[in-house]
Amino acid sequence: MRHFLSRHRLTLAGWLCGLLVAFLGLGAPAVAKDQPPIDDTPRLIGLQHPHWFELSLLDLREDLEKVREQGKRALAVYIGMDDCPYCEALFNVNFAEPDILDYTRRHFNVVGLDVLGSRGITTLEGESMTEREFAVGKGLNFTPAFIFYEPDGTPVFRLRGYHSPYRFRAALEYVADGHYENETFREYLARADPPPRFDPDDLNHQAFFAPEPFGLDRSHIPADRPLVVFFEQGECHACDILHTEPLRDDQVLELLDLFEVVQLDMWSEETPVLTPDGRSLTARAWAEDLGLFYAPTLIFFDEAGEEVLRIDSVVRLHRLRSVLEYVLTRGYEDSPTYQRWRMDQGG
């Protein structure tokens, strides 16, 4: 088996070589293959599901029966949008890699749904609802998203947002090889790529990050503004992109000025944090409790310390700016998901 854990070193070596060439040749960071450029401005894309997706009648019970009959590892329910640039990257970048495409088709049957769709579906529990209602019920704020179901109908893993080919491949193998039975996806990734040991100065610091101590408790006395926590790590290319692209945008900076903004090393066992719900934990223990596996992950909390949503996948300028507006305007009070709110705003 060509396993993610054994392939990782070669992948990392190639990535570092490519990044070094980019720095030497251009004098500025370039987007590596595992962080493809994504233009996430609102535009008409008109995506169609790949031909190899299941021709489903949208009765997930029948789709699961086919999984059993064909001896596949799981049913993968994909939730996307026709005009989603991150879905476009999934189809044109991830599934353009032959090994990812072959692996997906060999181990999974994929059924495609529209996050805003009005078609009626029948769930594995026999309930009737629209695609949109299904997405809302699963708490899917960002597309593309996948939910994987074992042949017996047990949901075993959920992947939200766009992830690079390297991490997407790891997610597929995490499900296909049954690693979810013994460990979290965070633990699985850490075995392949142990967290780097680095000095705090290796993080990308910004003037808007609040200094220590991190007393974030809002459980007794509400704060006067929402909170966003940046969970990051050193030697993180995706973190570098976040800081060199979206976080240099003037409008993003103006919006962040209306938040309390904190940056944490998600692997630090030394950094104490008083969490929004009043617990005393280390940054690492809090990240583990939150189930975080992607850096950077941004988690948004309201004034009372309730989590509003999280961005735990690739994010570019428009999505970040729009999410900041969604939280600041309390759009979540009227719209069940960010995607619905965004469409209501005309974007």
Side-chain angles (χ1 to χ4, degrees):
M1 176 177 63
R2 295 171 56 216
H3 197 275
F4 162 72
L5 295 178
S6 62
R7 280 202 306 267
H8 169 69
R9 301 304 172 192
L10 291 177
T11 302
L12 181 58
W15 179 86
L16 290 173
C17 289
L19 187 58
L20 179 61
V21 169
F23 269 100
L24 293 177
L26 300 177
V31 178
K33 184 179 182 182
D34 263 7
Q35 284 290 327
I38 298 176
D39 174 11
D40 73 342
T41 56
R43 54 195 166 89
L44 294 177
I45 301 175
L47 294 177
Q48 300 293 326
H49 292 158
H51 69 86
W52 51 269
F53 273 26
E54 289 295 298
L55 294 175
S56 172
L57 297 177
L58 300 186
D59 186 333
L60 299 185
R61 298 169 301 178
E62 294 179 358
D63 296 320
L64 192 66
E65 180 61 30
K66 290 182 182 178
V67 168
R68 290 191 288 264
E69 292 173 353
Q70 297 172 12
K72 297 291 183 70
R73 186 64 181 86
L75 172 67
V77 177
Y78 160 86
I79 297 99
M81 289 176 61
D82 292 345
D83 298 321
C84 164
Y86 296 89
C87 305
E88 182 182 39
L90 173 72
F91 294 159
N92 294 345
V93 178
N94 295 30
F95 286 135
E97 298 204 4
D99 70 312
I100 291 181
L101 177 59
D102 292 345
Y103 193 88
T104 303
R105 299 187 68 177
R106 183 164 67 252
H107 293 285
F108 309 101
N109 281 354
V110 184
V111 170
L113 303 179
D114 185 335
V115 71
L116 299 175
S118 59
R119 294 183 300 172
I121 71 170
T122 302
T123 69
L124 293 177
E125 296 76 27
E127 298 180 64
S128 297
M129 61 183 65
T130 64
E131 299 165 280
R132 179 173 61 249
E133 290 168 338
F134 180 82
V136 169
K138 300 302 179 184
L140 300 176
N141 266 301
F142 301 110
T143 54
F146 285 90
I147 304 176
F148 297 88
Y149 294 92
E150 281 190 328
D152 67 359
T154 302
V156 294
F157 187 57
R158 184 178 309 181
L159 192 69
R160 294 170 296 202
Y162 175 76
H163 290 270
S164 66
Y166 158 73
R167 194 172 296 271
F168 185 69
R169 184 184 293 111
L172 295 175
E173 293 182 351
Y174 174 73
V175 176
D177 292 341
H179 294 285
Y180 57 82
E181 296 176 353
N182 302 305
E183 59 188 340
T184 65
F185 192 45
R186 173 187 172 92
E187 293 167 336
Y188 176 67
L189 290 173
R191 284 198 296 116
D193 185 9
R197 294 295 179 184
F198 55 89
D199 296 325
D201 288 341
D202 288 336
L203 294 180
N204 293 285
H205 294 288
Q206 299 282 358
F208 52 74
F209 288 139
E212 298 187 53
F214 299 122
L216 310 180
D217 184 12
R218 297 164 172 234
S219 60
H220 301 295
I221 302 176
D224 59 1
R225 53 183 174 164
L227 164 71
V228 55
V229 181
F230 285 63
F231 284 90
E232 302 188 47
Q233 65 180 34
E235 300 180 18
C236 171
H237 186 225
C239 302
D240 294 339
I241 292 175
L242 176 68
H243 284 265
T244 57
E245 293 179 1
L247 293 184
R248 289 188 178 181
D249 178 76
D250 288 340
Q251 188 174 358
V252 166
L253 295 177
E254 290 175 2
L255 293 170
L256 280 173
D257 194 47
L258 302 175
F259 287 82
E260 180 180 358
V261 189
V262 170
Q263 181 191 49
L264 296 176
D265 162 15
M266 65 190 294
W267 299 102
S268 174
E269 298 177 338
E270 291 78 35
T271 304
V273 181
L274 186 60
T275 66
D277 58 0
R279 292 176 296 159
S280 296
L281 299 172
T282 65
R284 177 168 184 156
W286 191 24
E288 289 176 347
D289 182 66
L290 292 167
L292 305 188
F293 60 82
Y294 181 78
T297 286
L298 280 61
I299 303 188
F300 296 82
F301 299 87
D302 68 13
E303 291 80 355
E306 294 292 327
E307 181 178 335
V308 175
L309 84 170
R310 63 181 67 182
I311 304 175
D312 51 0
S313 56
V314 173
V315 62
R316 296 291 186 261
L317 174 59
H318 177 77
R319 177 168 283 185
L320 177 58
R321 190 165 55 201
S322 188
V323 167
L324 293 173
E325 293 173 349
Y326 173 70
V327 176
L328 285 170
T329 62
R330 306 183 74 87
Y332 52 86
E333 293 183 344
D334 298 319
S335 299
T337 66
Y338 159 77
Q339 295 281 18
R340 180 68 185 183
W341 173 85
R342 187 176 72 86
M343 295 302 295
D344 290 342
Q345 302 304 304

